[in-house]
Amino acid sequence: MYLATLAVNSNDTAVAAVRLENQSWLDIAAASNAIGDQPAALAAGTVQAVIDGGEQAMNALLALKDKADAGGQFSDVSYTSESVRLLAPIPTPRK
């Protein structure tokens, strides 16, 4: 599984995303909020929060990714590689 922090559509707002099978990127927080009842780590919208969320967050993220890969449910919050700019995975790392 590939996680990244992205700037979407020339917007400087950073979003955490997971790479889908079709090579597009799914905005984790937006997809999580769309279906509700997800761990807070996913709704936080950062790669660091997903890491800090541990096994529960990773399992929920895998289920979210599988759901996105299975159908077009999240087409409004997934982005082609051409429409995003990769940022530092963890823009403000801890010391």
Side-chain angles (χ1 to χ4, degrees):
M1 178 174 10
Y2 296 99
L3 296 177
T5 300
L6 310 171
V8 179
N9 298 324
S10 303
N11 186 342
D12 285 334
T13 303
V15 299
V18 61
R19 190 91 185 242
L20 300 177
E21 288 177 2
N22 66 5
Q23 304 305 304
S24 65
W25 293 95
L26 178 68
D27 180 331
I28 295 169
S32 172
N33 290 333
I35 62 171
D37 196 30
Q38 295 292 302
L42 299 188
T46 67
V47 172
Q48 185 67 60
V50 173
I51 293 168
D52 290 346
E55 187 175 347
Q56 179 190 19
M58 289 304 294
N59 288 339
L61 180 57
L62 281 171
L64 193 66
K65 180 186 178 309
D66 288 345
K67 191 175 285 192
D69 283 331
Q73 181 174 355
F74 301 113
S75 60
D76 57 332
V77 293
S78 61
Y79 306 96
T80 65
S81 292
E82 295 79 26
S83 67
V84 301
R85 185 171 42 97
L86 290 172
L87 303 174
I90 301 176
T92 52
R94 299 180 193 145
K95 294 189 180 209

